[in-house]
Amino acid sequence: MKDYNLVDIILPLAIADVYTYRIPLANPSPLTSAALGTADIGKRVLVPLGKKSIIGIIYRPHEGTLPKHVKVRDVVQIIDQTPIVTAQQLHLWEWLSQYYMCTMGEVLAAALPSEIIDDNYAAAICQYISLPPTLLDHHAQEALLSSFGRAKKQEQLFRTFLDLAQGQWQVERRVLLESSGVSGAILRLLIDKGIFLEEEHPISRLRRYSGAIGSPHPLDTQQQNAANAIRQAWQDKNVVLLHGVTSSGKTEVYIHLIEEALQKGKQVLYLVPEIALTTQLTERLQAVFGSQLVVYHSRFSNAERVEIYNEVRGERGDEKSKVILGARSAIFLPFRDLGLIIVDEEHEPSYKQQDPAPRYHARSTAIMMAGWYGAKVLLGTATPSVESYHNATSGKYGLVEMKERFQGLQLPRITIVDLQRQYHRKEMYGHFSDPLVLRMREELSKGKQVILFQNRRGYAPFLQCSDCGSVPKCPNCDVSLTLHKAHHALVCHSCGHSIVAPQRCPSCQGEYRTHGFGTERLEEEISALFPHAHVARMDLDSTRRKDSHQRIIDSFSAHKVDILIGTQMVTKGLHFDDVSLVAVLQADMLLNKPDFRSCEHAFHMLEQVSGRAGRKGDKGEVIIQTFDPKNPVFDYLKKHDYLSLYEQQIAERQLFHFPPFYRLIIFTLKHRDEQRLNAAVTLLRERLEQTFGPRVSGIITPSVARVHNMHILQLRLTIEATANIHRAKSLVREHMAYVVQQSAAKGTIITPDIDPL
Ligand code: ADP
Ligand code: ZN
């Protein structure tokens, strides 16, 4: 008879998928049977690993027997009474690890808040002051009050307590001290005398909405038609793409569909790009869904994430946590009864996780999940990704359109300014062309607001010595250092390395000249051009503190700021009623990337930033400055003509073997030692070529070929969309494993990126 069961356990490690352990059945000494509990799938266990212990998740009973020489160790403890990971979550993890080619452990580490896996979550504690039973009576209280005599402070403290307690006989310690203005020492005195009792209770860290809730706005005709068409399309398709111009009222349509899902008792996952998770959106949803709404994003502390995780699991009753508004990582929450997933701004590249593994796309993942939960998916955007639009027009997804802005508001007028000509004629103030300055003057004098977009932070992307031509570079990366003037610093935007900005070139004492410009430079130029305007800057540097992003948005909303300068942070989902003019200072950086998606991405970004103009009342205006005014992307933009952009892009994709007709895998190889790296990449290329022939690219040197002292090279594998991708991936796995075992390539890190962006 067997006296143990073998189980496979997922540990938060990148090495193997599963680790097998024994769960003793009978006579489990020295363990108590209570410590072992029942070994259900999805519970946490403590297991020995080397000389340490580590927490993992029970994945499945181990199938088959293990080779004789393998010594399987015993599980130390089963931590949970009930599973904390659901069967559907495990299914998701399996899919992610197979599709994106990483280990289950890497998925686990991304999927669970680290305090769950370290088991060091502690509830927040709140201290309360209460009364002993003898003092609950009014007469006893009066008697006590008159006995204080000259101990005025004590009397004051007790009176404040009675005021605050309002018959509940319990007041938060902190509140009592603050309201009474009496010291903690006096409070201690009364506690020691037995007049007050001290109590501690665990409290939720989650701020619950307790304001008023109301019905959603009634939909206008266009919105009603869209909502009906979506419901209709869901009859026989799981996924619907809602293509609606900016400000057409998509969010309001979502709200109505969410309400319907809730009425059926379902949960709803509402995904937005991290940066679009503003209080503007949260407040709009809270006004309808009240405390049923939970928000989840990376700025929450680990402890807060644990509490949200438990709420979504339904630990504390069913009423709450029905609508989960979150950034991409919210797909990992333990949903019970998911009925609808909304992916807003579905075209956003930030839905793809870059590092570390799993390098998943939240949109693709959401669509897979919906299948397992029997849920419906709504993808919404003003500028669909080429992939989604292709799926919609080929009939795989439903397609619903909203072509008008809400209340017939007009889409902004777009003007292209030729920078070459402006510079030639000397009609520039710094980086501002004459027409732009003129229009800014006009709009500001009318009391309107302006947004300036430049997708680069800092003052200048590089310095160059005007004598010897040298450029300060990062010692660890192949990157020029960006000047941050306010901090007198040169900073590497790749690894963060920072040095004091030198006054002169250290080798020849020549003077430095700045090249290019970032948001910080614009801010300086603006103050010179418009000395009376209130200016704010929104970029990574100005939003490092916890609430600073929100504070900038609030002050711009309240019109305390006239001009908002920003990187792509200003392009996402914000509504400002008084913005009549939006300017893109230099579009060229968006257009000149060596990437098959650069035209699509430039269109997305320019159309999104344009959407911030003229959201109320008058028609807005967008001015785009560029050295390449003939670029076809501007023709599409001027007419807000997504369809032509799409047709041009999809033709190119087919011609040059890109998605959605082909799947891509990019292999990134890294090593400190260039020789080893070269050996590894050559070897991998040879192996892949044996299997995939001409589908393997030549060796690619990325635009930044060294980061953190690691040299980087890449290969690209292009596979027909119709091919058996599972088979291809398992061959790829074998080749990668082979290469890292060869001594010439030793120590090379190979990371595959599936469906790279
Ligand atoms: P989108 O999500 O397409 O950008 P929104 O849903 O945010 O558009 O709508 C744009 C603006 O119009 C918002 O300020 C919103 O409050 C308002 N709005 C949209 N639909 C309605 C409606 N049915 N009733 C009242 N206001 C609406
Ligand atoms: Zn660096």
Side-chain angles (χ1 to χ4, degrees), residues 347 349 590 595 597-606 757:
H347 63 277
L590 302 171
D595 169 5
R597 286 182 213 270
S598 77
C599 183
E600 181 192 355
H601 283 171
F603 181 85
H604 288 160
M605 206 173 256
L606 295 172
L757 285 189

Side-chain angles (χ1 to χ4, degrees), residues 489-510:
L490 292 180
V491 181
C492 171
H493 283 188
S494 185
C495 75
H497 178 83
S498 157
I499 57 169
V500 175
Q503 295 293 333
R504 286 172 171 276
C505 172
S507 40
C508 77
Q509 299 300 311

Side-chain angles (χ1 to χ4, degrees), residues 217-219 223 245 247-252 284 406 575 615:
H217 296 293
L219 298 180
Q223 288 169 323
V245 297
S247 234
S248 54
K250 296 183 288 298
T251 312
E252 219 57 46
R284 236 171 119 181
F406 182 67
H575 297 254
R615 294 189 73 104

Side-chain angles (χ1 to χ4, degrees), residues 216-221 223 242 244-256 270 281 284 344-345 381-382 402 404-407 409 573-575 577 608 611-612 615-616:
H217 296 293
L219 298 180
D220 72 3
T221 315
Q223 288 169 323
L242 174 60
V245 297
T246 51
S247 234
S248 54
K250 296 183 288 298
T251 312
E252 219 57 46
V253 173
Y254 303 157
I255 291 174
H256 281 253
Y270 185 150
L281 178 60
R284 236 171 119 181
D344 192 26
E345 315 282 6
T381 175
M402 287 165 71
E404 306 291 325
R405 281 183 145 187
F406 182 67
Q407 286 183 335
L409 200 76
L574 298 168
H575 297 254
D577 289 346
Q608 292 291 336
R612 305 310 117 211
R615 294 189 73 104
K616 204 164 220 176

Side-chain angles (χ1 to χ4, degrees), residues 288-315:
V288 179
F289 303 113
S291 66
Q292 295 186 92
L293 182 81
V294 200
V295 184
Y296 190 74
H297 56 66
S298 66
R299 293 188 300 281
F300 281 134
S301 72
N302 251 306
E304 283 169 321
R305 280 192 250 177
V306 173
E307 292 185 13
I308 295 168
Y309 189 93
N310 289 334
E311 288 234 342
V312 174
R313 260 172 81 208
E315 281 236 303

